[in-house]
Amino acid sequence: MKKSARVVVIGGGIAGCSTLYHLTQEGWSDVVLVERNDLTSGTTWHSAAQVTNFGMNQTMVGLKSHSINLYKELANDPDHPINYNHADGGIRLANTEEQMQGYRHFASMAKGMGIDFEVIDAQECQRRHPLISTKNLIGGLWDPHDGDIDPYQLCHSLARKARKAGAEVYTDTPVTALEQYKDKTWKVTTENGDIDCDIIVNACGYRVNEVGAMMGVHHPVASMEHQYFLTEDIPEIAQAGHRMPLLRCPMSDYYCRQDKGGLLIGFYEQNCKTWGMDGIDPNFVNALCPDDLERVADVLDGAFERMPALMNAGIRSIVNGPITYTIDGAPLVGKIPGKENAFCIIGLRAGLGEGGGHGWLLAQQIVNGEACYDTWCLDPRRFTAHANVEMTSLKAIEDYQNEFRFHFPHEHRPAARKAKTTSLTPIMAAENAAFTVINGWERVEYIKPSEDFHPSLSFHFDETFDIVAKEIINIRDNVGLCEVNGFNRFEITGLDAENFIDRMFCGNITHKPGRVGLGYLLNDFGMVKSEATIANIPASDRGSTRIWYGSAAASEFHDMDWLTQHINADEDVHIKSLTNDQTILIIAGPKARKVMSACSRDDWSKEAFPWLSVRECFIGFTAATVMSVSFSGELAYEVHVPNSSLYAAYLALSESGKEFGMKIFGSRAVESMRLEKGFLSWKTDLLTEFDPFETGLDRFVNLKRITSSEKLPFKSVLKMAQNRSLSASALIALTPLPMAELH
Ligand SMILES: Cc1cc2nc3c(=O)[nH]c(=O)nc-3n(C[C@H](O)[C@H](O)[C@H](O)COP(=O)(O)OP(=O)(O)OC[C@H]3O[C@@H](n4cnc5c(N)ncnc54)[C@H](O)[C@@H]3O)c2cc1C
């Protein structure tokens, strides 16, 4: 066994094999995979192995398309072809108009990725899948590329190709310990010896937290038991004369594909079960959980009704195995929060279909620092300190029970709520607030007209439209108050803090005491990485001169990683997160100045406190830091207060606001106003797939400053500007070179 390698991938399921293969495709051959038993001996060997193209966003659709194209290539390998039933097609059924609207939405989104889904009626569903009845069916979504693959052959094919490119695979080699050296490289201890390496990848499936514990990390991943059965041959399938398409039913929560002359039917029962919460038997290898068809009886009835031919089919075998889940159902693929040179590809619940694509995007991140798609929806840093296995298990149960029911816009499901609250949460609830969840924080969405108000879920404007409009009108005419909790806030201090900020941002950022600036951070390819406000707070009895860096609520781990990894060894820069310590109260509207004046002795006139100013003051008797900035487009103040005095500040502001008609507004009003104003939102409009010019941020880029220093991490901006007619993502797609060659 090798004594050292550039990367050690731990785990030989689809996640590990795909990562290893794609690392070699990116040009890294000094890479190793270590597997405690045999390849595929975790979940992968018994997967139903359906490969679909459907995804909730463009990154998911794109990565699944990559899987499909890769699997086709592997299936057609002249020396070692593998079994891949490609393009049997698949139908997602619908029995409500809202589901059909959702399918139309997804079909239109996928079209932008070059994938042609089709929305079809009930009769067409039946024509394409002759075993189904049209009873209580409106129609469905047709995915032309759906199919299924042999998981064992797939992983061995990927490993074989990786080996051919120089990688090594060691089976029967359990990893027993991980140690990080001072220089941030790793020692991987296995039962067969140690391997020193630059980078480690956790691809350990349901044993993710055994390996996580070896490096002091608690990954928010939990496992559920999941069952399918295989039937004897069904004569109706033979009569149809073609392979049956895949089927997914959101009414009765089952999926189905053809297997030999019969069907494979998998169930997502309501009475579902977590697995392995109190540890996993070390001998659970190539193993299954005990059958329990009783548990799926409710779902089975729905499947029988939809496919009557099933009732006469004998069951050939039953499979019950662990499947991993995360808090939002999407896997964790990328950098491990708070760790250097450590990545993960975990929490895969549709790993066979997606694994090809996830390994592709992860290898790009490892080798180039970024992938060709924006990978925020997969980024392990999208959850912060509140995320743990206990919470994940509750969300996993909820997700499992709603497996094929997609989230509607503004749908916030109830499991594991109230993870992060402030002293105002019950106050807002008493005001009839509807809450949304942002990075675990309960944030007011809008004020409901009555306690039992429940808007319908759909892709159309709903009953909340007029409610939100009223909140906005009051801000336009009077003044509103909005609590923004969990807003990301770092305090940056040190002798080199200003230089550091200059280096990290692509434009000029003011360092004038008492002034606030907005700026953008770009990645190594000159693409938009983050957006932040920089507030320069002068020294006072509350502290020495300091910079406050404010960015999107979910960006805490992401931005902290990016900033800290760019502090040079000889720089005096200190970054402290205040995200969980401070909350913002926004006062917005033409009468905002009057409200501030009524509860604070400072001069709030335009002259004394102009736009983009910051000052320390008192709101009532509460020490606050106030900025004159606005995300709504109206005159507005951000009142930053420590959480311990949030309620006192709220009382003072509410009292002063009374005579000016101040009302509470929520995040939906903010979203509407910022759209109207054309303000951009991180990870909605600001993506790593676009450079600042494509994003419309020309005025925030100082090309002169950027080209004057070779040390800048975003030296490719100039090149991007010169290539304005061709976006960087297009460049990546067109060039046969690995991304790093783009520099
Ligand atoms: C019943 C069922 C049906 C499914 N159907 C589908 C489907 O139709 N389509 C689909 O896309 N997905 C499906 N899935 C999900 C899919 O199978 C999984 O997402 C996928 O197999 C997960 O792969 P993995 O590589 O992440 O994990 P695993 O396959 O579990 O691989 C992890 C590997 O890590 C190894 N390992 C663990 N600890 C160590 C250690 N300390 N040292 C070295 N190695 C270690 C393990 O031995 C294991 O081989 C299904 C899952 C189940 C349970």
Side-chain angles (χ1 to χ4, degrees):
M1 202 166 84
K2 273 184 155 188
K3 288 269 169 277
S4 69
R6 204 162 184 183
V7 183
V8 172
V9 178
I10 310 166
I14 178 62
C17 292
S18 174
T19 305
L20 188 78
Y21 164 79
H22 284 100
L23 283 169
T24 63
Q25 292 293 299
E26 290 291 326
W28 283 17
S29 53
D30 184 16
V31 290
V32 162
L33 184 150
V34 283
E35 160 57 48
R36 77 197 284 274
N37 307 105
D38 277 333
L39 294 187
T40 75
S41 58
T43 288
T44 298
W45 72 274
H46 60 71
S47 176
Q50 299 155 101
V51 179
T52 66
N53 214 162
F54 180 82
M56 296 294 284
N57 57 46
Q58 294 189 323
T59 298
M60 292 303 288
V61 173
L63 73 87
K64 285 177 158 206
S65 296
H66 176 82
S67 287
I68 290 169
N69 291 331
L70 170 67
Y71 299 172
K72 274 199 287 188
E73 223 179 281
L74 300 177
N76 294 331
D77 185 323
D79 299 326
H80 299 282
I82 64 170
N83 292 327
Y84 176 29
N85 294 309
H86 169 60
D88 287 346
I91 308 175
R92 279 161 206 270
L93 301 173
N95 69 337
T96 67
E97 195 41 50
E98 287 72 27
Q99 287 162 344
M100 292 295 277
Q101 284 165 14
Y103 291 154
R104 281 185 206 106
H105 165 79
F106 293 118
S108 143
M109 180 197 66
K111 206 171 178 139
M113 302 293 289
I115 312 299
D116 277 324
F117 291 150
E118 234 183 296
V119 180
I120 54 179
D121 65 20
Q123 280 65 40
E124 190 57 21
C125 290
Q126 190 185 45
R127 199 185 65 74
R128 295 185 192 193
H129 197 309
L131 262 60
I132 65 170
S133 92
T134 55
K135 191 177 160 205
N136 190 25
L137 187 69
I138 298 186
L141 180 75
W142 173 258
D143 178 344
H145 301 292
D146 281 5
D148 66 272
I149 197 159
D150 181 318
Y152 177 88
Q153 290 182 357
L154 170 62
C155 290
H156 279 267
S157 176
L158 290 167
R160 187 184 310 115
K161 284 187 183 301
R163 273 201 209 98
K164 219 171 159 184
E168 303 214 353
V169 175
Y170 306 124
T171 53
D172 292 317
T173 306
V175 171
T176 52
L178 293 167
E179 185 190 331
Q180 190 156 32
Y181 295 116
K182 271 200 179 122
D183 67 356
K184 303 298 177 193
T185 61
W186 292 90
K187 176 163 90 174
V188 178
T189 302
T190 79
E191 283 188 5
N192 300 330
D194 298 344
I195 310 176
D196 283 338
C197 64
D198 295 339
I199 294 168
I200 52 169
V201 178
N202 183 344
C204 289
Y206 50 75
R207 295 193 188 273
V208 49
N209 274 313
E210 292 178 7
V211 172
M214 295 177 200
M215 60 170 113
V217 173
H218 176 102
H219 293 284
V221 174
S223 298
M224 301 290 298
E225 278 189 27
H226 175 50
Q227 291 184 89
Y228 64 75
F229 66 64
L230 297 152
T231 73
E232 306 282 3
D233 287 358
I234 296 177
E236 286 84 344
I237 294 181
Q239 283 157 22
H242 61 83
R243 284 184 58 83
M244 289 300 107
L246 273 61
L247 209 61
R248 266 140 183 69
C249 177
M251 296 83 95
S252 300
D253 304 299
Y254 61 85
Y255 59 79
C256 169
R257 72 162 169 87
Q258 186 169 338
D259 187 81
K260 300 198 170 79
L263 291 175
L264 177 159
I265 321 234
F267 305 95
Y268 291 98
E269 66 282 7
Q270 292 301 300
N271 181 23
C272 55
K273 231 174 134 179
T274 55
W275 182 85
M277 290 290 287
D278 298 315
I280 300 167
D281 179 349
N283 298 316
F284 191 88
V285 177
N286 274 316
L288 293 173
C289 316
D291 305 346
D292 188 1
L293 276 193
E294 285 266 297
R295 221 172 57 224
V296 303
D298 54 335
V299 192
L300 199 50
D301 283 347
F304 281 154
E305 228 174 275
R306 183 62 62 210
M307 286 178 288
L310 256 189
M311 280 190 270
N312 305 320
I315 292 179
R316 188 154 52 85
S317 61
I318 302 170
V319 167
N320 185 13
I323 190 166
T324 52
Y325 276 73
T326 66
I327 285 176
D328 63 3
L332 305 173
V333 181
K335 207 172 168 300
I336 296 178
K339 290 280 162 195
E340 281 184 56
N341 296 329
F343 292 81
C344 60
I345 174 164
I346 51 177
L348 274 65
R349 73 169 183 198
L352 261 295
E354 297 172 2
H358 288 310
W360 177 54
L361 295 180
L362 182 61
Q364 288 179 40
Q365 291 177 65
I366 293 171
V367 173
N368 306 310
E370 202 78 72
C372 57
Y373 297 132
D374 191 295
T375 50
W376 181 242
C377 63
L378 308 170
D379 196 317
R381 295 167 298 188
R382 70 189 186 276
F383 306 116
T384 54
H386 66 288
N388 53 42
V389 171
E390 298 301 317
M391 165 181 269
T392 310
S393 64
L394 296 176
K395 292 306 281 183
I397 291 168
E398 183 180 63
D399 236 15
Y400 191 97
Q401 291 171 331
N402 289 279
E403 186 72 24
F404 298 126
R405 291 172 214 151
F406 44 75
H407 276 83
F408 282 97
H410 306 300
E411 180 182 2
H412 312 296
R413 292 183 177 159
R417 293 291 296 265
K418 301 186 178 61
K420 292 177 183 169
T421 57
T422 68
S423 54
L424 291 194
T425 309
I427 311 283
M428 295 294 170
E431 296 282 349
N432 270 343
F435 291 94
T436 178
V437 188
I438 295 176
N439 188 24
W441 288 95
E442 294 287 328
R443 212 181 257 182
V444 174
E445 218 183 359
Y446 58 89
I447 300 296
K448 298 182 286 186
S450 63
E451 207 179 327
D452 56 357
F453 174 78
H454 296 294
S456 45
L457 295 172
S458 81
F459 282 84
H460 286 287
F461 289 124
D462 60 34
E463 302 85 344
T464 56
F465 186 80
D466 290 335
I467 297 166
V468 175
K470 274 190 196 143
E471 289 181 5
I472 294 172
I473 288 167
N474 191 53
I475 297 162
R476 186 194 66 191
D477 295 342
N478 296 307
V479 60
L481 178 150
C482 174
E483 182 199 25
V484 180
N485 48 27
F487 187 75
N488 188 38
R489 163 82 50 238
F490 298 150
E491 189 166 273
I492 305 182
T493 50
L495 294 175
D496 299 308
E498 289 184 4
N499 285 342
F500 174 69
I501 293 290
D502 284 340
R503 199 173 72 245
M504 294 307 297
F505 283 76
C506 65
N508 298 334
I509 295 287
T510 180
H511 294 305
K512 273 195 199 152
R515 297 297 291 163
V516 180
L518 177 68
Y520 294 86
L521 298 93
L522 310 183
N523 66 16
D524 293 347
F525 299 93
M527 303 300 193
V528 179
K529 183 92 180 156
S530 275
E531 176 195 58
T533 51
I534 291 295
N536 301 287
I537 305 175
S540 72
D541 55 356
R542 295 189 203 164
S544 55
T545 306
R546 58 215 182 275
I547 293 169
W548 272 14
Y549 171 109
S551 59
S555 68
E556 183 186 1
F557 283 7
H558 173 276
D559 283 14
M560 185 61 99
D561 251 0
W562 184 247
L563 294 174
T564 49
Q565 83 188 50
H566 284 97
I567 301 175
N568 295 331
D570 58 353
E571 274 183 323
D572 180 33
V573 177
H574 309 277
I575 307 178
K576 181 175 147 196
S577 177
L578 302 179
T579 304
N580 294 327
D581 304 334
Q582 296 266 335
T583 292
I584 305 173
L585 294 172
I586 295 177
I587 307 295
K591 296 180 186 165
R593 194 167 277 133
K594 290 184 176 154
V595 175
M596 297 299 285
S597 301
C599 63
S600 160
R601 286 189 293 111
D602 286 76
D603 180 354
W604 296 96
S605 68
K606 204 159 136 190
E607 295 68 33
F609 194 64
W611 176 237
L612 296 178
S613 298
V614 57
R615 72 158 46 132
E616 290 178 327
C617 61
F618 291 94
I619 298 296
F621 58 81
T622 301
T625 305
V626 177
M627 297 180 205
S628 52
V629 292
S630 164
F631 201 42
S632 60
E634 300 291 340
L635 171 71
Y637 299 97
E638 277 186 2
V639 179
H640 296 244
V641 280
N643 285 341
S644 54
S645 44
L646 173 64
Y647 183 47
Y650 169 76
L651 288 178
L653 286 163
S654 308
E655 194 54 36
S656 331
K658 267 186 196 156
E659 68 171 296
F660 305 108
M662 188 164 79
K663 292 198 176 124
I664 296 165
F665 66 101
S667 60
R668 249 338 156 100
V670 175
E671 179 66 3
S672 173
M673 290 185 287
R674 76 104 192 149
L675 275 168
E676 199 174 322
K677 189 73 182 170
F679 288 154
L680 303 177
S681 166
W682 189 64
K683 295 302 174 195
T684 305
D685 314 300
L686 302 168
L687 303 173
T688 55
E689 291 172 38
F690 302 99
D691 67 45
F693 304 103
E694 292 169 310
T695 313
L697 298 172
D698 305 38
R699 74 192 174 90
F700 291 96
V701 183
N702 180 350
L703 285 174
K704 250 195 210 153
R705 192 165 68 72
I706 288 165
T707 50
S708 68
S709 169
E710 266 307 294
K711 278 192 192 157
L712 293 170
F714 34 83
K715 53 185 179 278
S716 58
V717 168
L718 181 63
K719 186 168 174 184
M720 292 304 169
Q722 287 161 349
N723 286 314
R724 294 265 302 264
S725 56
L726 199 57
S727 79
S729 36
L731 277 173
I732 291 161
L734 290 176
T735 180
L737 301 170
M739 283 171 68
E741 302 288 338
L742 278 176
H743 279 291

